[in-house]
mmCIF file of all heavy atoms in Angstrom:
data_model
loop_
_atom_site.group_PDB
_atom_site.id
_atom_site.type_symbol
_atom_site.label_atom_id
_atom_site.label_comp_id
_atom_site.label_asym_id
_atom_site.label_seq_id
_atom_site.Cartn_x
_atom_site.Cartn_y
_atom_site.Cartn_z
ATOM 1 N N LEU J 621 -10.178 5.986 -4.200
ATOM 2 C CA LEU J 621 -9.013 6.845 -3.940
ATOM 3 C C LEU J 621 -9.019 8.002 -4.939
ATOM 4 O O LEU J 621 -8.166 8.079 -5.824
ATOM 5 C CB LEU J 621 -7.719 6.036 -4.092
ATOM 6 C CG LEU J 621 -7.590 4.787 -3.233
ATOM 7 C CD1 LEU J 621 -6.477 3.893 -3.745
ATOM 8 C CD2 LEU J 621 -7.358 5.174 -1.806
ATOM 9 N N PRO J 622 -9.961 8.930 -4.804
ATOM 10 C CA PRO J 622 -10.111 9.961 -5.834
ATOM 11 C C PRO J 622 -8.917 10.902 -5.978
ATOM 12 O O PRO J 622 -8.747 11.503 -7.030
ATOM 13 C CB PRO J 622 -11.361 10.732 -5.387
ATOM 14 C CG PRO J 622 -11.477 10.458 -3.927
ATOM 15 C CD PRO J 622 -10.897 9.086 -3.706
ATOM 16 N N ASN J 623 -8.077 11.021 -4.969
ATOM 17 C CA ASN J 623 -6.944 11.950 -5.049
ATOM 18 C C ASN J 623 -5.680 11.332 -5.630
ATOM 19 O O ASN J 623 -4.670 12.017 -5.769
ATOM 20 C CB ASN J 623 -6.640 12.532 -3.670
ATOM 21 C CG ASN J 623 -7.776 13.382 -3.162
ATOM 22 O OD1 ASN J 623 -8.478 14.010 -3.944
ATOM 23 N ND2 ASN J 623 -7.990 13.390 -1.868
ATOM 24 N N ILE J 624 -5.716 10.042 -5.959
ATOM 25 C CA ILE J 624 -4.535 9.396 -6.536
ATOM 26 C C ILE J 624 -4.635 9.463 -8.060
ATOM 27 O O ILE J 624 -5.723 9.350 -8.626
ATOM 28 C CB ILE J 624 -4.405 7.929 -6.043
ATOM 29 C CG1 ILE J 624 -3.022 7.355 -6.347
ATOM 30 C CG2 ILE J 624 -5.494 7.051 -6.639
ATOM 31 C CD1 ILE J 624 -2.751 6.003 -5.698
ATOM 32 N N THR J 625 -3.503 9.677 -8.703
ATOM 33 C CA THR J 625 -3.505 9.661 -10.167
ATOM 34 C C THR J 625 -3.476 8.215 -10.641
ATOM 35 O O THR J 625 -3.064 7.305 -9.904
ATOM 36 C CB THR J 625 -2.281 10.402 -10.734
ATOM 37 O OG1 THR J 625 -1.095 9.705 -10.338
ATOM 38 C CG2 THR J 625 -2.235 11.850 -10.258
ATOM 39 N N GLU J 626 -3.899 7.995 -11.865
ATOM 40 C CA GLU J 626 -3.878 6.637 -12.418
ATOM 41 C C GLU J 626 -2.451 6.106 -12.463
ATOM 42 O O GLU J 626 -2.210 4.935 -12.175
ATOM 43 C CB GLU J 626 -4.510 6.602 -13.808
ATOM 44 C CG GLU J 626 -6.008 6.745 -13.764
ATOM 45 C CD GLU J 626 -6.667 6.509 -15.109
ATOM 46 O OE1 GLU J 626 -5.998 5.998 -16.040
ATOM 47 O OE2 GLU J 626 -7.856 6.830 -15.225
ATOM 48 N N ARG J 627 -1.521 6.970 -12.813
ATOM 49 C CA ARG J 627 -0.112 6.562 -12.878
ATOM 50 C C ARG J 627 0.389 6.120 -11.511
ATOM 51 O O ARG J 627 1.051 5.089 -11.385
ATOM 52 C CB ARG J 627 0.740 7.717 -13.413
ATOM 53 C CG ARG J 627 2.206 7.364 -13.536
ATOM 54 C CD ARG J 627 3.017 8.529 -14.128
ATOM 55 N NE ARG J 627 4.389 8.167 -14.352
ATOM 56 C CZ ARG J 627 5.346 8.122 -13.404
ATOM 57 N NH1 ARG J 627 5.042 8.414 -12.166
ATOM 58 N NH2 ARG J 627 6.578 7.782 -13.694
ATOM 59 N N MET J 628 0.080 6.909 -10.467
ATOM 60 C CA MET J 628 0.543 6.553 -9.126
ATOM 61 C C MET J 628 -0.124 5.260 -8.650
ATOM 62 O O MET J 628 0.533 4.418 -8.041
ATOM 63 C CB MET J 628 0.263 7.693 -8.138
ATOM 64 C CG MET J 628 0.745 7.403 -6.731
ATOM 65 S SD MET J 628 2.499 6.946 -6.594
ATOM 66 C CE MET J 628 3.283 8.486 -6.947
ATOM 67 N N LEU J 629 -1.412 5.092 -8.929
ATOM 68 C CA LEU J 629 -2.090 3.852 -8.539
ATOM 69 C C LEU J 629 -1.448 2.658 -9.236
ATOM 70 O O LEU J 629 -1.188 1.626 -8.609
ATOM 71 C CB LEU J 629 -3.584 3.932 -8.857
ATOM 72 C CG LEU J 629 -4.416 2.706 -8.492
ATOM 73 C CD1 LEU J 629 -4.270 2.330 -7.021
ATOM 74 C CD2 LEU J 629 -5.889 2.939 -8.846
ATOM 75 N N THR J 630 -1.150 2.812 -10.507
ATOM 76 C CA THR J 630 -0.485 1.743 -11.256
ATOM 77 C C THR J 630 0.875 1.412 -10.640
ATOM 78 O O THR J 630 1.199 0.238 -10.421
ATOM 79 C CB THR J 630 -0.310 2.134 -12.732
ATOM 80 O OG1 THR J 630 -1.601 2.353 -13.303
ATOM 81 C CG2 THR J 630 0.422 1.063 -13.524
ATOM 82 N N LEU J 631 1.671 2.442 -10.341
ATOM 83 C CA LEU J 631 2.993 2.224 -9.750
ATOM 84 C C LEU J 631 2.885 1.544 -8.382
ATOM 85 O O LEU J 631 3.654 0.625 -8.078
ATOM 86 C CB LEU J 631 3.744 3.550 -9.616
ATOM 87 C CG LEU J 631 4.202 4.201 -10.920
ATOM 88 C CD1 LEU J 631 4.723 5.607 -10.660
ATOM 89 C CD2 LEU J 631 5.262 3.349 -11.603
#
Side-chain angles (χ1 to χ4, degrees):
L621 304 164
N623 295 328
I624 194 171
T625 64
E626 287 188 13
R627 181 178 185 280
M628 181 54 71
L629 180 55
T630 299
L631 290 171

